[in-house]
Amino acid sequence: MSSTTYSASPWNVNQLPGADGRVFLVTGGNAGIGYFVAEQLSATGATVVLGSRSPARAEVAMASIRARVPGSRVRTVLLDLADLSSLGTAVESLETERLDAVVHNAGVALDDPPRQETGDGHELMFGTNHLGHFALTQWLMPLLSAAPAARVVTMGSFAAKSERLDLDDLQSQKDYEPKRTYGRSKLAQMYFSVELDRRLRAAGSTVASVVVHPGGALDSLTPSRPPVHVRTAGARLRATPAALLVQGKHAGAWPAVRAVLDPAVRGGQLWGPRVFGLRGEPRREPVWDHLADLSVAARLWDASRDLTGTDLGVISG
C-alpha cells in the first residue's frame, strides 16, 4: 500500500507544508540526523528549539540553520538526558505555553567497552536514549496537551529490528556488548513510543505518539554543513557504492519530519525509508512483530517508571 493512501496528495520532502505559529523541540538537534530534522522543520516557519547538552555546539548549529534558512525561528535549550534531575528546569526554560511536537532524537552510542553509567547510576546508552526521553515526556506532557494535536516522534533505529530486550537485564549489568546494548536501548525507545500511544488513546488524549527510524544513514553520504558537518571529496567518492543501499543523514531525517508535519500520520504508526527500510522517501511500514508485544511493552513501562521515579500522569494506567 503506498504512502499516498494516507495523504490527500503525495508527500514531497522538498516542499514541506507551512507550520507558522507552531513550536517544535528536537532533542540532540545540534548534530547528525537531529540537526537535519531541525533544519528542515525550520523552513516551515515554525519555531524550532534545539535541545543539546552542549551550549557551544547548539550555538554553532543554530547559526548554520539561520544561514541556510533566512528568517528561521530557531533557538536552543540546555538539555542533558543523562541527568534526570535537570529535565524539569530544561522544560521550564523552553518558555512556551504549548509544544506542538517533540522529536526524541538525542542519543549516545559507545563503540568500545567499558560499560559506563549516568550520574543516576543507569547504563549510559539505556539511561540516555530511553530513560531520559521517558522522563522528559512526563515533563513535556502539559505543554503537549496544550497544543491542539501534538506529536511525540521517537527516533528508533534499524539496528533495533534484530534485537530483543532482556527484561531481566535492561541495563546490561550481566551481559554488556556495546552494539547490542545500543540496539536494545533504541528498541526500548520504540516500545515506549508504541505503548505511549496506546495509553494516550485509552486516556482520550489529543497527543499522538509516532515511531520512526532513519534507515541506513551515513556521514559520508551527508551534505556538508560546516562547521557542524564537513564531508570531504574523498569520503564522498568512497561512499558512492553505498548510496545504492543507504543514504545520508539529511535523508534519514525525512521520516521524523513527515511524522511531525503530515496531518495524515496517525499515532501508533511506524515510518521509515521507502526502499527496503534503508533509503528513500518516507513511508509507513508495518509495525515490527516484536514491537506489537504488549506484555513486553507494559513490563518495560513499569520498569522505566520505577527507574526514573516518574509516572506519566493521565497515561500511567
Side-chain angles (χ1 to χ4, degrees):
M1 192 175 291
S2 73
S3 61
T4 53
T5 304
Y6 307 98
S7 298
S9 58
W11 186 260
N12 186 336
V13 296
N14 297 309
Q15 289 184 319
L16 300 176
D20 283 329
R22 286 193 263 172
V23 182
F24 305 137
L25 169 64
V26 182
T27 73
N30 60 286
I33 292 170
Y35 169 84
F36 286 97
V37 171
E39 182 185 279
Q40 290 166 32
L41 290 176
S42 292
T44 68
T47 295
V48 178
V49 185
L50 310 181
S52 173
R53 59 184 173 168
S54 168
R57 291 179 184 174
E59 289 289 330
V60 169
M62 182 170 64
S64 176
I65 291 174
R66 286 178 171 170
R68 295 192 64 86
V69 186
S72 57
R73 302 180 182 96
V74 58
R75 50 193 176 88
T76 69
V77 64
L78 180 63
L79 178 66
D80 185 356
L81 292 162
D83 180 4
L84 298 179
S85 65
S86 71
L87 298 182
T89 300
V91 171
E92 283 180 15
S93 65
L94 289 173
E95 296 182 345
T96 184
E97 295 181 355
R98 76 177 207 198
L99 187 65
D100 295 275
V102 56
V103 180
H104 287 331
N105 163 80
V108 294
L110 301 179
D111 292 328
D112 300 305
R115 181 181 179 277
Q116 297 181 36
E117 293 187 349
T118 68
D120 299 305
H122 301 132
E123 188 281 317
L124 184 62
M125 290 185 280
F126 180 76
T128 304
N129 303 354
H130 171 59
L131 294 179
H133 283 117
F134 182 93
L136 177 64
T137 304
Q138 155 137 336
W139 287 105
L140 291 175
M141 196 52 66
L143 297 178
L144 293 163
S145 299
R151 304 266 173 93
V152 178
V153 177
T154 297
M155 183 71 74
S157 171
F158 204 73
K161 193 168 189 177
S162 59
E163 293 294 344
R164 298 296 182 270
L165 292 182
D166 182 347
L167 290 164
D168 297 318
D169 190 25
L170 287 171
Q171 308 226 45
S172 303
Q173 291 170 313
K174 302 172 191 171
D175 189 12
Y176 176 77
E177 193 283 312
K179 287 186 171 55
R180 183 176 60 223
T181 297
Y182 172 77
R184 288 179 176 179
S185 76
K186 298 303 290 185
L187 179 58
Q189 279 191 270
M190 297 174 81
Y191 268 115
F192 164 62
S193 177
V194 174
E195 178 68 6
L196 174 62
D197 194 73
R198 189 187 70 77
R199 292 174 185 242
L200 289 167
R201 300 287 68 73
S205 175
T206 57
V207 182
S209 175
V210 185
V211 62
V212 302
H213 72 86
L218 303 182
D219 278 332
S220 53
L221 293 172
T222 303
S224 287
R225 294 291 189 272
V228 176
H229 167 69
V230 178
R231 178 178 64 165
T232 65
R236 184 170 66 248
L237 285 172
R238 287 191 298 274
T240 300
L244 295 171
L245 292 174
V246 293
Q247 59 193 355
K249 293 187 174 179
H250 63 301
W254 291 342
V257 170
R258 183 166 189 175
V260 168
L261 295 173
D262 188 347
V265 171
R266 296 287 177 262
Q269 293 178 345
L270 172 62
W271 288 74
R274 178 180 302 278
V275 183
F276 303 120
L278 290 172
R279 63 179 297 273
E281 298 210 358
R283 68 169 176 90
R284 183 184 172 190
E285 60 183 81
V287 174
W288 302 339
D289 288 344
H290 55 308
L291 281 178
D293 189 328
L294 296 181
S295 64
V296 171
R299 287 180 62 189
L300 174 65
W301 185 283
D302 290 344
S304 304
R305 180 191 59 206
D306 294 343
L307 288 167
T308 59
T310 58
D311 196 338
L312 292 171
V314 297
I315 50 173
S316 61

